[in-house]
Amino acid sequence: MAVLIRSSEAMKATAQAGITYFTTGLAEETGEVCGAVKKLVRAQNGLIKPKTYDKVKAELEKQLANINAEKIKLGAKPLPFYVEDEEVREVYKNQLLDNLEIEIGQVVQYLANIAYFYNLDLGKVVKKSFNHTSKEFNSDIEL
């Protein structure tokens, strides 16, 4: 329901540009998804730009320093002050996954706006398309 309300608000705000605004936005966000996947594939293969690696490592070291400061205040023994290479890589992959979720969500929002523009139910559109593809591949799996 929230998507429909926002879609109607977006329609009012972009009335002059109309469908062009939403299709251009969809194309832009689709490109963002592709870029996010590209970065994730590189990271999964161990490729991280040195500048990015250093930035993520510095963020982790800062967090560790803050934790240790709190532990010392409480009279507890601080943690060893080093960040493992694998930790940096894992945190970076998780950051990329978070970004991918946002980008996919934005694509879906633009699709919802386009469906709303043409008075289509996005859920019904997805079901119809999924079932159509299942039939093309002689699959019994349908929504």
Side-chain angles (χ1 to χ4, degrees), residues 67-79:
I67 291 169
N68 279 339
E70 290 299 315
K71 287 176 107 17
I72 291 168
K73 280 183 190 176
L74 297 170
K77 183 178 175 184
L79 299 169

Side-chain angles (χ1 to χ4, degrees), residues 88-106:
V88 174
R89 294 178 184 286
E90 193 62 32
V91 166
Y92 182 59
K93 284 184 222 172
N94 287 335
Q95 289 174 349
L96 292 174
L97 283 170
D98 287 344
N99 183 56
L100 180 60
E101 284 181 325
I102 290 167
E103 298 300 343
I104 289 172
Q106 290 174 339

Side-chain angles (χ1 to χ4, degrees), residues 9 30 60 63 74 88 109 115 134:
E9 290 172 356
T30 301
L60 289 173
Q63 290 174 7
L74 297 170
V88 174
Q109 289 175 49
S134 288

